[in-house]
Amino acid sequence: MIHAQADQNARQQLAVQVVDAKTRKDLSWQQLADVTGLSVAFVTAALLGQHPLPADAAKAVTELLGLDEDAALLLQTIPLRGSIPGGIPTDPTIYRFYEMLQVYGSTLKALVHEEFGDGIISAINFKLDVKKVEDPEGGSRAVITLDGKYLPTKPF
């Protein structure tokens, strides 16, 4: 049976346990994802409390992390989503994404609507990828791909 959480506390507390176990065992998010067969972005989001994991994935991850059956069960519940409480984020990395949306949000909206019409980009039927590439001018660049299904607005 599928179960949903009523508040974020249980999943947030589990996320703290996951990060602690991941750190103590010196594991990467990719290593955790590898035991599930799912993408690193999805598994990371799930372990940080934003998605449920399938039963086999939850069991594999909790075994690798040394967490108990209760943790595996909780990882399978549908969370109350949202990881940025209280308005403008203060973490510098998250704030830069907020800043990007402040600067380019209206541009993205205009371009999406011009290309597709009235509707939204799904965050449910969605894929995320982050890649590190070398910058020809020196250093590195982050290439972030947000790949969501377009859902048109339907008159009713």
Side-chain angles (χ1 to χ4, degrees):
M1 177 180 289
I2 298 172
H3 296 280
Q5 291 295 299
D7 69 45
Q8 294 177 324
N9 291 330
R11 289 297 295 267
Q12 287 174 341
Q13 290 170 2
L14 180 56
V16 170
Q17 292 176 357
V18 165
V19 171
D20 182 61
K22 174 187 170 294
T23 302
R24 290 180 188 282
K25 293 184 175 279
D26 195 27
L27 296 168
S28 69
W29 293 115
Q30 185 63 61
Q31 288 172 305
L32 294 171
D34 287 345
V35 300
T36 69
L38 301 169
S39 77
V40 67
F42 185 84
V43 171
T44 303
L47 295 176
L48 293 176
Q50 298 304 304
H51 293 304
L53 282 176
D56 58 340
K59 183 177 182 198
V61 167
T62 53
E63 284 178 0
L64 183 59
L65 290 171
L67 299 176
D68 62 20
E69 288 181 27
D70 288 342
L73 184 62
L74 187 54
L75 283 172
Q76 296 171 60
T77 63
I78 300 167
L80 187 64
R81 292 177 172 97
S83 63
I84 307 174
I88 298 172
T90 56
D91 177 86
T93 302
I94 297 172
Y95 176 78
R96 292 298 173 227
F97 285 102
Y98 174 79
E99 179 183 46
M100 287 176 221
L101 286 175
Q102 286 293 323
V103 173
Y104 293 104
S106 57
T107 299
L108 289 166
K109 176 180 171 41
L111 294 173
V112 165
H113 290 306
E114 184 172 274
E115 184 72 24
F116 295 95
D118 186 17
I120 62 167
I121 306 299
S122 175
I124 301 300
N125 189 337
F126 185 81
K127 295 177 186 174
L128 166 68
D129 191 39
V130 178
K131 287 189 172 70
K132 179 180 177 180
V133 298
E134 295 307 311
D135 187 333
E137 298 174 9
S140 300
R141 297 186 69 81
V143 177
I144 300 167
T145 304
L146 307 173
D147 180 353
K149 181 177 175 120
Y150 177 76
L151 302 171
T153 300
K154 294 182 180 180
F156 59 94

